[in-house]
Every structure is written in C-alpha cells, then in structure tokens.
Amino acid sequence: MTFEARELTPDRSVRDLFGAELRRHRERAEMSLRRLSEVVNYSKSQLARIEAAESLPYDDLPTKLDVCFGTGELFARLHTLAKKEPFPGKYRRVISEIESRAAVIEEYACATVPGLLQTRELAEESFRFGNPYAPDAEVEDLVQARMDRQALLERPKPPRCWFILDEAVLRRPVGKRKVMYQQLAYLIKTGMKPHVTVQVLPFAAGGHAEAGGSLMLYTLPHQPLTAYEEGSHSGTIIENQNDVATRRQNYDLLRAMALSPRDSEAMIRVAMEDWTPCEPPLT
C-alpha cells in the first residue's frame, strides 16, 4: 500500500512541526521511510504516523533522528515541546480514528455523559451550553456527528466498552427534566448490552487522581495503549508509556472504587426519580 503524505501545518502545532521537519530532512537525505526504519530501528508504519503528526515518538527516537540527520538537538527539543502541547482541536480527527479502530474503549467522565452514551437531546443541550450563539445548522451538524460516532457500538464486532461515571453526571441538570430522565434511561438500556459496562463512582468514594477531568484509554490491536485526557476547553493525548501506565493505574483504581454494575444501575434508577417529568397542572 502506497503511503500518501498528509498536509501538515507546522505553524500551528509542534507535533506538525516535528513531522514536517522529519519529512524535510528525510527527503533531503533522499531516504525512504523503509530505509529510515532500518537506520533508527522503528517500523515503517510507526514512522509514517509520526511524520503525518498522528503519533508522538517514544523518547529514544528524537536523539536517533538527530544523529541520523546531523541536526544537533533539533528533534530532541521539538519532542520536549510537543509532549507539553495540549491536544489541538484539529487533532480530534485523530482521536476519532483511534476510537473507530479500538478493540477496547475505557472512559471516566466527571461532569457529563460520555459522547458515546448521549441521547440526541442531551447532545444538543450540551453543544448549546458550549456555544449559545451557534446557528441551529451548526449545532445540528455537531449533534449528528456525535450520533454517527455511536454507530461503532452497533457494529457486528463492537469494541468492549467500559464507562465509569461520576455521580455528578447523574445529578447535574443538562436541559429540561425530561432530557435528563430520558438520558438516564438510555444509560441503563445501553449498559445492558453485552459489550458495554456502566459503573457509577459515588460521591462517597472521595477524591482521586483523575478528579476534575475526563480520561479515555484506547486499546488498539498490535499497538501500545493510548490515553486521552480532556478538560472543559482542551484535551491532551498521552503516548509516553510511563505516563500511560500511570493513567492505567488511575483508571483501575477508579474501577475498584466505583459501584458494581448492578448497584450502579440501582443508583441511576434512584436518580431518575429526581428527573421524573412534572405533569402539567390541571385546568
């Protein structure tokens, strides 16, 4: 299969700049990806993803590239900056690609229902809260894109999905009571699928390392585990395996602290009672 170089924007992202410099020096040296893979002892596919800014290299590669191309500490310094860079919005495409290929998806949500579990109504309310001045057509496009993501849960061979929801997700109103009631009912329905597990982390569990943000772990066939952390306005992809291992431990601890799937369903049903739509007054 022929590798098609992706257009990069080195003026907007350090990750893109790293990929652009790698491509520029490789082509200047008249070196193919296959030949470079032999020199630095990396697979051709790994180098292709790094050059396309779809993956960040392990810590040993930048030094190997500097030695190979005689670039001093160029790649080492770019790598240091890239690791600190928040995951830019335009890289949400990469997250979508990772998600679509994942065999296992694990997510902790601290503030709102994960996108893969949202109803159309809650998705619309969420997008309108995020940008109250957005045109209706723009909001509808965003909602439809989120609904399209959920198709992976209905595939013949869907990924194994594990969702841990902070109790705040059940208690914080998003839209009208009816929206919340239907959303919690949908959580229960989706949690009954054999490949989906939903757990609730109760307030009583106390503090933990991932408080204040959301964490996603993606297991892809024949690839290292990838972690993604997201706050209210930015996200960060984590590929350094030491840092990923820390997130793995954090998630496993959250799973141990959370209620069992059965007790979680019971808590969701109790929360639903608080969101029962009010009957209109008799006239």
Side-chain angles (χ1 to χ4, degrees), residues 16 145 150 208:
D16 266 59
Q150 297 179 5
H208 55 84

Side-chain angles (χ1 to χ4, degrees), residues 178-232:
K178 181 179 179 180
V179 171
M180 290 296 298
Y181 184 88
Q182 292 176 340
Q183 176 61 73
L184 298 192
Y186 186 69
L187 287 180
I188 294 174
K189 178 182 177 181
T190 307
M192 292 179 178
K193 297 179 183 293
H195 58 283
V196 177
T197 297
V198 175
Q199 286 184 271
V200 175
L201 183 70
F203 292 142
H208 55 84
E210 295 298 328
S214 296
L215 171 65
M216 281 141 274
L217 300 174
Y218 297 99
T219 301
L220 278 70
H222 315 300
Q223 291 189 31
L225 184 68
T226 299
Y228 179 69
E229 286 185 327
E230 189 170 57
S232 58

